[in-house]
């Protein structure tokens, strides 16, 4: 009886962990989709593995094109300690095009002021 219990306990814990992680992933996916629907001003979204903005912009009836490129970067947490950083995910965008295709709630500054070596940060970051 003890052997069965000692075998069953880790299996039950693992099953609970897998179920919990699956629930978290599903919730994050749903939240991401809801946020995209809330902020996107588009009737059509095109996904590609290479730049296609010029071709899409040339299609009759297309009013605006905003290309997004996913990036991973290091964010410094403390300027006095070069080893204190966090790895973050973001999007490289053309600020003017992005503003035409997304409802962006800017709390300070203006996306049009973004230049090389500048970033816009989500307020919760």
């Amino acid at each position: 009886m003890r052997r069965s219990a000692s075998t069953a306990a880790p299996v039950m814990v693992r099953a609970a962990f897998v179920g919990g992680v699956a629930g978290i992933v599903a919730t994050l996916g749903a939240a991401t989709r809801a946020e995209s629907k809330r902020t996107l001003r588009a009737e059509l979204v095109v996904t590609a593995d290479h730049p296609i903005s010029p071709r899409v912009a040339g299609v009759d009836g297309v009013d605006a094109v905003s290309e997004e490129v996913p990036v991973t970067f290091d964010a410094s947490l403390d300027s006095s300690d070069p080893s204190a950083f966090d790895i973050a995910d973001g999007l490289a965008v053309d600020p003017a095009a992005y503003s035409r295709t997304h409802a962006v709630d800017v709390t300070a500054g203006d996306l049009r002021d973004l230049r090389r070596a500048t970033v816009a940060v989500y307020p919760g970051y």
Side-chain angles (χ1 to χ4, degrees), residues 40-112:
L40 191 61
R41 296 182 198 152
E43 295 176 15
L44 177 67
V45 175
V46 178
T47 303
D49 61 357
H50 58 281
I52 60 169
S53 291
R55 289 177 50 201
V56 173
V59 173
D60 287 340
V62 173
D63 293 329
V65 175
S66 172
E67 189 167 3
E68 302 175 9
V69 179
V71 295
T72 300
F73 58 94
D74 297 336
S76 176
L77 300 176
D78 181 357
S79 60
S80 65
D81 181 3
S83 66
F85 68 92
D86 190 14
I87 297 173
D89 295 317
L91 293 173
V93 299
D94 174 336
Y98 192 82
S99 294
R100 285 192 303 271
T101 57
H102 293 77
V104 180
D105 299 327
V106 178
T107 57
D110 191 324
L111 288 180
R112 292 175 296 202

